[in-house]
Amino acid sequence: MPRITTPRTARIGRSHKLSAALVATASCAAAVAMATPSQAAAPADHAATASAANQIKVTAVDTQAHTAKQAAAKADGNQHGNNLDGWIRQSLDIMKSKGIPGSYEGLHRNIMRESSGNPNAVNGYDVNAVNGVPSKGLLQVIQPTFDSYHVKGTANKLTDPVANITAAANYAADRYGSIDKVNSAY
């Protein structure tokens, strides 16, 4: 069954509305909880109301913290997420800005063939490994190739997902015209 998702902007808008509603509810509950005994109900009701108010406050704070983390991730330039889809999309943004050809499909297809999406994959048995320079990362790049085709603006670490993808796409563009033309080990 297909999964229907709400657009990100709608989710954030809904999150902000929920956060505001929770804060307002918490404020009302706190006001009731702080009422004098003559204004409030029985002591047991007072304790239950205070407990509910505290739970609402905690939920509101958790929701606001989650929203703040999302905003911080965007500010750090990682608006796509820390997963395979996000790494590919972030790499595509960098590739586009540097004039390196390639598509999501071409990157994804090659990543799945080379590492099954594991950014820490290491090939310990091919000729490169036998020669002491194993292929590593999402697109199984060896260190000398990474060093030659590293794209400025990405991490200078072979197993960094975005740096690995972008360097491999840069190499494939130089050697084959595009990562999209690669259909086997390269």
Side-chain angles (χ1 to χ4, degrees), residues 28-54:
C28 291
V32 169
M34 294 188 319
T36 61
S38 63
Q39 295 170 320
D45 291 341
H46 177 73
T49 303
S51 176
N54 287 336

Side-chain angles (χ1 to χ4, degrees), residues 2-93:
R3 184 173 164 215
I4 300 172
T5 60
T6 306
R8 185 174 187 282
T9 52
R11 288 192 316 262
I12 290 173
R14 187 172 55 227
S15 169
H16 288 275
K17 289 176 188 173
L18 177 61
S19 201
L22 290 172
V23 170
T25 304
S27 297
C28 291
V32 169
M34 294 188 319
T36 61
S38 63
Q39 295 170 320
D45 291 341
H46 177 73
T49 303
S51 176
N54 287 336
Q55 180 60 39
I56 291 169
K57 286 179 189 176
V58 168
T59 303
V61 168
D62 287 346
T63 301
Q64 289 172 341
H66 177 71
T67 303
K69 285 179 186 175
Q70 287 177 328
K74 269 191 161 183
D76 288 342
N78 189 6
Q79 70 255 18
H80 298 297
N82 192 23
N83 56 36
L84 182 58
D85 178 68
W87 300 325
I88 293 172
R89 292 186 188 285
Q90 190 174 354
S91 294
L92 285 168
D93 287 349

Side-chain angles (χ1 to χ4, degrees), residues 6 12 19 24 41 43 45 61 64 77 92 111 115 128 141 147 149 154 157 159-160 165 170 175 180:
T6 306
I12 290 173
S19 201
D45 291 341
V61 168
Q64 289 172 341
L92 285 168
I111 288 168
S115 68
N128 292 319
V141 179
D147 293 342
Y149 289 92
T154 64
K157 181 179 177 190
T159 56
D160 176 83
I165 293 169
N170 194 22
R175 179 112 188 225
D180 296 342

